[in-house]
């Protein structure tokens, strides 16, 4: 008897393992183009990820040869807008999670797909991947966060060139420019991203989330307020049970057992 695989009916697959959540875009036949169902599922997966004390870091991956081709234009023509009230485009662009998120890119990430990648904190990409914001070539504007984030991730002249021409940048060139954390063989981006995630998950979850917040928010802090603002974030971590456990585990020469409290 042949069993039917029903996973294709789910726009996003979610799995958890040892503090790491894996969120997988699962519309390979549509090049993982984002429709409302996918955006809603991503939003829900990220919201639960942030709320769960046993999860420290997440990997955003995709099934099929394309990471994401952007917005589903067929759904758009039917009147759909792949936007959620809280997180915006694709359930991530306007409000990424407060915990670290790693993009595992195996294949093209273009238009809204590149904007999803830019909403992540770290990028692991296969050598065959490439990135582009081709909206201007279609008379549109990349309004899903790409234009807001790209100048902070690449040198200004290069970010401007990519945005104004819609041209693609290869994973290798992106790595050379500092956009990508790790570049790997095709087909191995997810496993490499999970290795990076495991390194992060071995650390204190409260400390990890606070560290991300400081790095992310501090560029907007006034210089004379920076240390005070930082202290507001770090004080609860310093007084946490996990901080005590980290110190105790170090003195006892063992791995810490984090509780997220």
């Amino acid at each position: 008897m042949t069993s039917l695989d029903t996973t294709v009916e789910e726009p996003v697959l979610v799995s958890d393992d040892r503090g790491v959540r894996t969120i997988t875009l699962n519309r390979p036949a549509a090049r993982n183009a984002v429709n409302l169902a996918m955006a809603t599922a991503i939003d829900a997966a990220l919201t639960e990820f942030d709320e769960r004390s046993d999860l420290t870091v997440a990997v955003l991956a995709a099934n099929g040869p394309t990471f994401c081709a952007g917005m589903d234009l067929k759904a758009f023509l039917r009147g759909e807008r792949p936007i959620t009230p809280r997180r915006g485009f694709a359930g991530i662009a306007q409000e990424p999670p407060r915990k670290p998120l790693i993009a595992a890119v195996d294949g093209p990430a273009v238009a809204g797909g590149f904007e999803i990648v830019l909403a992540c904190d770290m990028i692991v990409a296969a050598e065959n991947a490439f990135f582009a914001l081709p909206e201007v070539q279609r008379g549109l504007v990349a309004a899903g966060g790409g234009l807001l984030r790209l100048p902070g991730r690449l040198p200004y002249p290069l970010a401007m060139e990519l945005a104004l021409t819609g041209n693609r940048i290869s994973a290798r060139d992106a790595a050379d420019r500092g956009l990508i954390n790790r570049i790997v063989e095709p087909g191995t981006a997810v496993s490499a991203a999970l290795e990076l995630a495991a390194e992060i998950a071995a650390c204190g979850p409260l400390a990890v989330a606070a560290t991300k917040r400081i790095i992310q928010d501090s560029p907007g802090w006034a210089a004379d307020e920076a240390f005070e603002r930082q202290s507001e974030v770090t004080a609860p971590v310093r007084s946490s049970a996990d901080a005590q456990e980290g110190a105790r585990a170090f003195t006892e020469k063992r791995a810490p057992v984090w509780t997220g409290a």
Side-chain angles (χ1 to χ4, degrees):
M1 187 171 82
T2 303
S3 61
L4 296 178
D5 182 2
T6 60
T7 59
V8 293
E9 298 176 0
E10 297 295 330
V12 170
L13 305 178
V14 179
S15 63
D16 302 321
D17 183 35
R18 289 175 290 186
V20 179
R21 166 158 287 194
T22 302
I23 302 168
T24 305
L25 309 184
N26 192 46
R27 301 187 70 217
R31 297 188 299 158
N32 292 311
V34 184
N35 59 8
L36 181 58
M38 178 180 278
T40 301
I42 293 172
D43 188 320
L46 293 177
T47 297
E48 185 186 42
F49 165 59
D50 268 346
E51 292 172 348
R52 290 262 299 271
S53 61
D54 60 324
L55 296 174
T56 303
V57 57
V59 170
L60 184 60
N63 283 332
T66 300
F67 178 82
C68 180
M71 181 173 63
D72 187 329
L73 296 181
K74 292 181 180 179
F76 175 80
L77 292 174
R78 294 195 299 268
E80 270 194 27
R81 299 295 183 269
I83 296 169
T84 64
R86 175 180 176 182
R87 299 188 187 274
F89 171 72
I92 185 174
Q94 186 171 313
E95 186 180 333
R98 64 179 181 83
K99 300 176 183 177
L101 181 61
I102 305 168
V105 185
D106 234 320
V110 299
F114 190 16
E115 293 180 303
I116 290 172
V117 171
L118 290 170
C120 297
D121 302 293
M122 291 156 281
I123 304 169
V124 174
E127 290 181 341
N128 64 329
F130 65 82
F131 309 88
L133 294 175
E135 282 84 350
V136 290
Q137 297 176 350
R138 303 163 189 163
L140 299 171
V141 177
L147 301 183
L148 300 176
R149 293 190 171 100
L150 194 61
R153 307 287 282 272
L154 288 173
Y156 178 89
L158 178 58
M160 188 65 79
E161 178 182 339
L162 292 174
L164 293 180
T165 64
N167 290 341
R168 66 176 63 174
I169 183 170
S170 69
R172 176 61 64 186
D173 286 345
D176 290 342
R177 299 287 188 162
L179 179 65
I180 294 173
N181 293 75
R182 300 180 183 180
I183 188 164
V184 296
E185 294 292 324
T188 66
V190 174
S191 59
L194 288 171
E195 289 177 4
L196 176 58
E199 294 182 43
I200 297 169
C203 302
L206 296 178
V208 165
T211 297
K212 170 178 171 173
R213 181 179 172 187
I214 292 167
I215 291 176
Q216 181 176 264
D217 294 352
S218 59
W221 295 347
D224 60 348
E225 298 176 353
F227 277 90
E228 181 180 353
R229 298 285 297 275
Q230 177 178 258
S231 181
E232 292 171 359
V233 178
T234 60
V237 179
R238 190 168 54 250
S239 61
S240 69
D242 272 359
Q244 293 293 315
E245 167 62 10
R248 188 178 302 110
F250 179 78
T251 60
E252 295 174 358
K253 296 181 171 58
R254 60 173 176 82
V257 180
W258 308 118
T259 62

